[in-house]
Amino acid sequence: QVQLVESGGGSVQAGGSLRLSCVVSRFTYINNCMGWFRQAPGKEREGVAGIRRDGSAKFADSVKGRFAISRASTRNTVYLQMNSLKPEDTAMYYCASVICDNWPLVDSGYWGQGTQVTVS
């Protein structure tokens, strides 16, 4: 069993930044393909960013140039750096294991509990 725990959400003004963290319980899993999803009230869940085993990344068009995804293997942590935040970025953000090289992102079974991001 792999557990994912997100943190770092909060309320921020438009134009601000937040960094979300996702700690992965099994260190052997951290270098798998991982991704971030988000879901706003009344909207479908969407894949935001994914990181492959080699560290390369892919982003939704809506966040390209503003968000970055990275991994710190020694800390068993995946990050989502969010800059130039907009009100439309407001959503619950989830970390998940994903199927490699799939876009849109498709999860592979492990999810965190989510962290709320509110941009006003």
Side-chain angles (χ1 to χ4, degrees):
Q1 186 74 7
V2 178
Q3 291 184 324
L4 310 177
V5 179
E6 303 99 331
S7 62
S11 296
V12 64
Q13 290 189 338
S17 298
L18 284 173
R19 187 176 78 160
L20 306 184
S21 299
C22 171
V23 177
V24 182
S25 63
R26 265 171 50 184
F27 77 95
T28 54
Y29 208 82
I30 185 61
N31 288 320
N32 282 1
C33 297
M34 300 293 294
W36 287 92
F37 295 79
R38 67 184 180 186
Q39 188 166 21
K43 294 190 176 181
E44 290 190 358
R45 185 179 65 200
E46 65 169 335
V48 174
I51 185 167
R52 299 183 185 94
R53 293 189 179 98
D54 65 0
S56 59
K58 192 148 186 167
F59 299 91
D61 288 344
S62 58
V63 306
K64 272 180 188 173
R66 300 189 297 122
F67 288 15
I69 186 171
S70 62
R71 172 169 41 218
S73 298
T74 57
R75 296 180 181 178
N76 291 1
T77 304
V78 178
Y79 300 101
L80 185 68
Q81 178 67 43
M82 306 186 295
N83 299 323
S84 303
L85 283 161
K86 304 176 181 179
E88 50 264 44
D89 295 318
T90 295
M92 184 71 80
Y93 283 72
Y94 299 90
C95 173
S97 59
V98 299
I99 297 173
C100 297
D101 297 321
N102 249 78
W103 192 268
L105 286 176
V106 175
D107 75 278
S108 60
Y110 296 111
W111 288 87
Q113 82 289 352
T115 185
Q116 177 68 38
V117 172
T118 303
V119 185
S120 59

